[in-house]
Amino acid sequence: MQSSSNNSLKHIAIIMDGNGRWACHRGHRRIFGHIRGARRAKEIVQICSEMEIPFLSLFAFSTENACRPKEEVKFLIKLFEKILVEQGSFLKALNARLHLLGDITFFSEKVRDCLSTLVSQSRGNTGLNLILALNYGGRQEIVQGMKKVMEEVQNGKISPKTIDENFIHQLFPSSVFPPPDLIIRTGGETRLSNFYLWSAAYSEIHFTKTLWPDFSKAHFTQAVQEFFTKERKFGSITKHSRIKHSRP
Ligand code: IPE
Ligand code: IPE
Ligand code: MG
């Protein structure tokens, strides 16, 4: 997606936070917030698809979320089972392709089966690339990458000269996607919580206090519009300063 600002918006990544608080504020159990959060996620996928944004990442479960009370983790796994089984036609209608990030061996066989079916069924779809981060952690990616490097060192395939940014980048499973241009975090916290540590180096970050189940199309559009007002300098200087400095 391109606007008059010249910023190109290829990849939006969302840390969907605030489900538990949303439910508690209403006198419900936390799990009710996850049900509403899942509904919201589907709406945002639809909106991204309509806006022709090429890549959308949804952070649905972090490696650290496994440390939550057993009942909550169990409920989330059941919820994933219930939701995923119904999404084939949704992806087809949007012409969207599903990709996975993270270690899904953590989940039940039913979740794993549904995910692999959705990934293979949607492989030929040419619209939105939907990346679901499940039991994903940025540090986990770095650990995996370092293991690959050690193997290559042991096999005598690389030397210190081989190692540069491109080499490190291609070690990570997420390197097959463009880096996120815009990361949105709902729920009021201003941290990455182990999301996309490497590729977020130059992401614009939109933090909002809005809790995920309340994050509407208007909130989403506002975050996108704000992105287009940014001048992304990547360590250089603004166009304005460039003109000023070029004068004698
Ligand atoms: C995000 O909402 C969903 C997951 C991490 C699975 P939370 O469950 O973290 O909700 P809060 O932050 O406790 O309100
Ligand atoms: C981040 O939210 C993870 C997901 C939204 C999947 P958390 O609620 O787990 O993050 P912390 O614990 O507030 O950092
Ligand atoms: Mg949270």
Side-chain angles (χ1 to χ4, degrees):
M1 193 182 180
Q2 192 96 30
S3 90
S4 51
S5 76
N6 278 335
N7 281 351
S8 142
L9 185 48
K10 280 204 196 89
H11 185 176
I12 299 181
I14 309 183
I15 304 171
M16 307 181 291
D17 194 28
N19 292 349
R21 279 165 286 161
W22 184 91
C24 292
H25 294 167
R26 285 161 178 78
H28 297 298
R29 292 166 64 205
R30 291 177 51 84
I31 54 175
F32 184 59
H34 295 314
I35 298 172
R36 286 305 186 86
R39 199 186 287 177
R40 186 60 76 187
K42 216 171 151 179
E43 281 170 25
I44 297 294
V45 170
Q46 173 116 28
I47 293 164
C48 270
S49 166
E50 286 163 9
M51 289 170 85
E52 298 185 5
I53 288 159
F55 291 85
L56 170 69
S57 290
L58 295 179
F59 198 12
F61 193 91
S62 73
T63 42
E64 290 72 28
N65 289 151
C67 307
R68 290 190 177 195
K70 262 196 193 128
E71 316 81 71
E72 183 165 341
V73 174
K74 239 169 125 179
F75 178 83
L76 281 166
I77 295 173
K78 287 275 161 235
L79 184 64
F80 291 145
E81 285 177 0
K82 188 174 178 299
I83 296 169
L84 290 168
V85 81
E86 299 161 352
Q87 301 314 317
S89 52
F90 177 64
L91 292 176
K92 194 173 175 198
L94 297 183
N95 188 25
R97 178 174 176 185
L98 183 71
H99 306 265
L100 299 177
L101 266 186
D103 178 9
I104 62 161
T105 58
F106 174 79
F107 297 105
S108 63
E109 196 179 345
K110 195 168 173 193
V111 169
R112 283 182 273 127
D113 286 350
C114 285
L115 287 170
S116 67
T117 306
L118 291 172
V119 166
S120 58
Q121 273 177 356
S122 66
R123 189 157 286 140
N125 293 350
T126 54
L128 174 72
N129 287 282
L130 174 62
I131 303 151
L132 208 51
L134 281 169
N135 195 28
Y136 167 83
R139 287 182 176 176
Q140 167 206 63
E141 275 200 298
I142 294 170
V143 170
Q144 280 175 358
M146 289 309 109
K147 283 186 179 160
K148 276 197 229 167
V149 175
M150 277 313 291
E151 278 166 25
E152 296 195 14
V153 169
Q154 277 172 347
N155 297 336
K157 284 191 187 156
I158 55 167
S159 71
K161 272 196 246 157
T162 323
I163 298 176
D164 59 13
E165 281 199 17
N166 284 335
F167 176 82
I168 305 270
H169 180 73
Q170 54 81 33
L171 294 170
F172 303 135
S174 61
S175 67
V176 297
F177 311 116
D181 301 295
L182 169 64
I183 295 179
I184 298 172
R185 181 172 185 144
T186 62
E189 308 297 354
T190 49
R191 53 181 172 250
L192 285 175
S193 299
N194 203 11
F195 194 35
Y196 277 141
L197 295 184
W198 172 268
S199 54
Y202 270 100
S203 303
E204 298 298 327
I205 308 186
H206 177 92
F207 293 114
T208 169
K209 288 197 167 79
T210 306
L211 302 171
W212 176 247
D214 286 331
F215 192 72
S216 64
K217 183 175 183 174
H219 293 111
F220 181 77
T221 312
Q222 194 202 334
V224 169
Q225 279 169 354
E226 190 187 288
F227 169 83
F228 285 120
T229 65
K230 305 282 178 188
E231 189 176 1
R232 304 186 77 192
K233 303 194 293 288
F234 300 100
S236 186
I237 57 170
T238 64
K239 277 184 219 135
H240 179 69
S241 319
R242 214 179 274 271
I243 294 160
K244 262 170 106 179
H245 286 288
S246 64
R247 284 196 193 124

